[in-house]
Amino acid sequence: MCGIIGYVGQQDAVQVILEGLRRVEYRGYDSAGIAIAVDGKLAVAKRSGKLGSLAAQLAEHPLPSSGCGIGHTRWATHGGPNDTNAHPHVSADGRVALVHNGIIENFAELRAELELRGVTFISQTDTEAAAQLLALELALTNDLTVAMRTVCTRLKGAFTLVALDTQNPECLVAARRDSPLVVGVGDGENFVASDVASFIMHTREALELGQNQVVTLTRNSVQVSDFDGEPAEPQHFHVDWSPAAAEKAGFDWFMRKEIFEQPRAVFDTLLGRSDAAGRLLLDEIRIDTNELRLIDKIVVVACGSAYYAGLVAKYAIEHWIRVPVEVELASEFRYRDPIVNSRTLCVTISQSGETMDTLQAIRHARVQGAKVIAICNTVGATIARESDAVLYTRAGPEIAVASTKGFLTQVSAAYLLGLYLAQLRGTMFADEVERYLTELSEVPDKIQQVLDQAERVYALAADVVDTQDFIFLGRHVGSAVALEGALKLKEIAYLHAEGFAAGELKHGPIAIIDETTPVFVVVPPPGAGQLHDKVISNIQEVRARGARVVVLAERGDVAAGSCADYLLELPPTSVLLQPLTASVPLQLFACELATLLGNDVDQPRNLAKSVTVE
Ligand code: M6R
């Protein structure tokens, strides 16, 4: 949560920061602010509401020109989303401005200590305690880097901090622990940001900061050290995303653009995954393959849509490698004393690679001796770094808060992982693996076929625009698609939506259905035999209660078509691969309905893209 950027160079810092904030606004949008230092003083503009409000304020009352500054877009944790609590926070002596992402868990204790020392606080934030402490340390050392290190050792919790000192105005100091921070290395200019999207229009060369590190930036230098002052060597990486990937490219919303990017995103995720001998490859494997042969349990941990991707993957992986797969909400995992040991493989799924619940679950699993494989979209993210192996999803930047291409590429990557393990453990014949790989390679084209029917989905959304409650049903992998379809609608349309395993309906939830309730049903392909027929029976059960049924079924499925009030056709696939096409109309539906309702689709209320607090 929260987007941060710091800039030092020859351009106008305010413009660079404003543009950079626009690209990380998905991380939080309760308030935004910018600080620069000019003539020994700070100039600060901050405003509650979205970045647009700050931009309007700056257009009316511009800040002076400067080549160095910091900016922040906030998702509130401590203190409401008002102007005072907006970042940057300025120390009482006016010397230091600070932006922060994360939670300082011991802020109350620090605040009490500082108040005893005579410091007056003006906000309710945890961040202000760090800003005030930093100023007191700076007064002692007159060196922002040294002061930052000292402050960091006093803070408990997760944080990224970026600070500016009026007395050294062409230098920025940043630090991180358990919260994202990347450095962008330019020509005569340097950047720090929560996400490379903030600076890829200026440079694609970046440095990954490790845990507990401090970085000091000037126009021409980047120096990294740990909290004890020991120099550290950051890892360099080149950002492959083009700046255009972080633009809307003519779409009204990033979400709609990202839905339409899915054929390409899945294609890229599947690309070049085997060697000359046909063996599947992960991106970074730091696990001995013998250990993977010995695992007797897999635990998938993730949150939100990534968790639903895990639920889908469970069906395939258990089927292919005959090892039990548990799928856990990351936020619950470490609090229930899970049975995990050196023969457990923990698979974590995260688009951002920064989700704190997932990160903590990984740490817990590793302490118990498990090996961890991350399925992650963000190269060099903390989750990728702290795992024993990584499979990157190559979806490109996902900006909209509601995950779409993130979800589909997670399912695709989890399937690759399942096939990799099956190959390694010899639980599938080579031609079976080959058959699934061939079918996976046809998925991008099939997604495109679904996208080509978007207008039909939009017409349905227009038809139900006054409806308040929606039900989604599916069986087998379709039950996870139903959960994901309901989540999309809740997130961006703010409507009551529930997903159920279709067979479970008659054990209670069917009581909420009446003639006003649209029920979306994912019907397994007719080739799935009994599974298909059971879902047709479930459709009859809800029709008997007067519900309007929207059927998602394979093209030519006469039985499903005959009981549909509204039919959305899917291209033929095997049942295991159906989520990769069946999810798409549900994404389109949510996006369109939320648009018709006048909601902000990309930045829905109360949410943020990366949930970097527990
Ligand atoms: O970045 P992650 O994949 O770890 O994020 C996990 C969830 O926060 C995320 O999937 C969330 O549920 C999305 N907003 C769903 O659309």
Side-chain angles (χ1 to χ4, degrees), residues 363-408:
R363 290 176 178 165
H364 186 77
R366 294 190 80 189
V367 167
Q368 310 296 311
K371 292 291 177 208
V372 178
I373 296 184
I375 292 175
C376 181
N377 191 40
T378 311
V379 176
T382 311
I383 284 174
R385 282 211 308 272
E386 292 203 15
S387 299
D388 300 294
V390 188
L391 183 53
Y392 284 115
T393 48
R394 304 187 194 147
E398 192 180 61
I399 309 284
V401 164
S403 183
T404 54
K405 62 177 181 172
F407 173 75
L408 282 204

Side-chain angles (χ1 to χ4, degrees), residues 77 96 252 420-421 507 542 544 578:
T77 56
V96 168
D252 52 350
Y420 168 86
L421 293 171
H507 298 286
V542 293
Q578 198 194 37

Side-chain angles (χ1 to χ4, degrees), residues 346-362:
C346 177
V347 177
T348 60
I349 307 181
S350 175
Q351 187 284 129
S352 62
E354 300 294 346
T355 301
M356 185 52 76
D357 290 316
T358 309
L359 185 59
Q360 295 297 2
I362 291 177

Side-chain angles (χ1 to χ4, degrees), residues 230-502:
E230 289 300 317
E233 205 49 58
Q235 206 177 326
H236 173 264
F237 64 102
H238 177 79
V239 184
D240 291 329
W241 301 346
S242 75
E247 295 294 342
K248 281 193 213 157
F251 284 90
D252 52 350
W253 303 112
F254 278 110
M255 181 182 179
R256 207 184 304 266
K257 174 183 167 240
E258 288 160 8
I259 292 172
F260 277 86
E261 282 173 347
Q262 292 180 113
R264 163 60 54 185
V266 171
F267 178 85
D268 287 348
T269 300
L270 299 173
L271 195 66
R273 291 297 185 179
S274 31
D275 64 13
R279 279 184 304 260
L280 283 161
L281 306 168
L282 301 187
D283 290 302
E284 296 170 18
I285 318 178
R286 301 176 283 261
I287 306 179
D288 185 338
T289 45
N290 283 327
E291 289 188 73
L292 290 176
R293 287 193 184 92
L294 289 175
I295 53 164
D296 59 12
K297 182 166 84 167
I298 295 177
V299 181
V300 181
V301 284
C303 303
S305 292
Y307 169 74
Y308 297 146
L311 289 180
V312 172
K314 171 186 165 79
Y315 288 87
I317 297 176
E318 280 188 341
H319 181 61
W320 292 337
I321 71 167
R322 309 309 297 156
V323 164
V325 178
E326 292 171 7
V327 187
E328 288 264 351
L329 288 168
S331 53
E332 291 293 321
F333 181 67
R334 69 176 171 145
Y335 299 104
R336 69 161 185 88
D337 193 15
I339 301 167
V340 173
N341 56 41
S342 60
R343 296 189 68 176
T344 309
L345 177 66
C346 177
V347 177
T348 60
I349 307 181
S350 175
Q351 187 284 129
S352 62
E354 300 294 346
T355 301
M356 185 52 76
D357 290 316
T358 309
L359 185 59
Q360 295 297 2
I362 291 177
R363 290 176 178 165
H364 186 77
R366 294 190 80 189
V367 167
Q368 310 296 311
K371 292 291 177 208
V372 178
I373 296 184
I375 292 175
C376 181
N377 191 40
T378 311
V379 176
T382 311
I383 284 174
R385 282 211 308 272
E386 292 203 15
S387 299
D388 300 294
V390 188
L391 183 53
Y392 284 115
T393 48
R394 304 187 194 147
E398 192 180 61
I399 309 284
V401 164
S403 183
T404 54
K405 62 177 181 172
F407 173 75
L408 282 204
T409 55
Q410 285 162 353
V411 172
S412 308
Y415 279 11
L416 285 175
L417 176 62
L419 293 171
Y420 168 86
L421 293 171
Q423 206 172 50
L424 194 75
R425 296 166 65 98
T427 53
M428 279 168 96
F429 292 113
D431 61 331
E432 278 179 283
V433 173
E434 194 53 45
R435 189 165 54 78
Y436 273 109
L437 286 175
T438 304
E439 203 189 338
L440 275 171
S441 72
E442 292 162 358
V443 164
D445 179 56
K446 291 179 180 174
I447 297 172
Q448 188 57 53
Q449 291 176 37
V450 178
L451 291 171
D452 291 343
Q453 297 177 58
E455 290 304 327
R456 191 163 161 69
V457 182
Y458 298 160
L460 171 64
D463 202 34
V464 296
V465 75
D466 295 322
T467 308
Q468 296 304 311
D469 303 291
F470 293 83
I471 301 294
F472 294 78
L473 301 179
R475 260 179 198 254
H476 192 266
V477 284
S479 60
V481 174
L483 292 167
E484 172 64 3
L487 177 63
K488 290 288 90 82
L489 209 54
K490 283 184 256 208
E491 274 188 299
I492 58 172
Y494 316 145
L495 292 169
H496 172 231
E498 299 214 43
F500 298 107

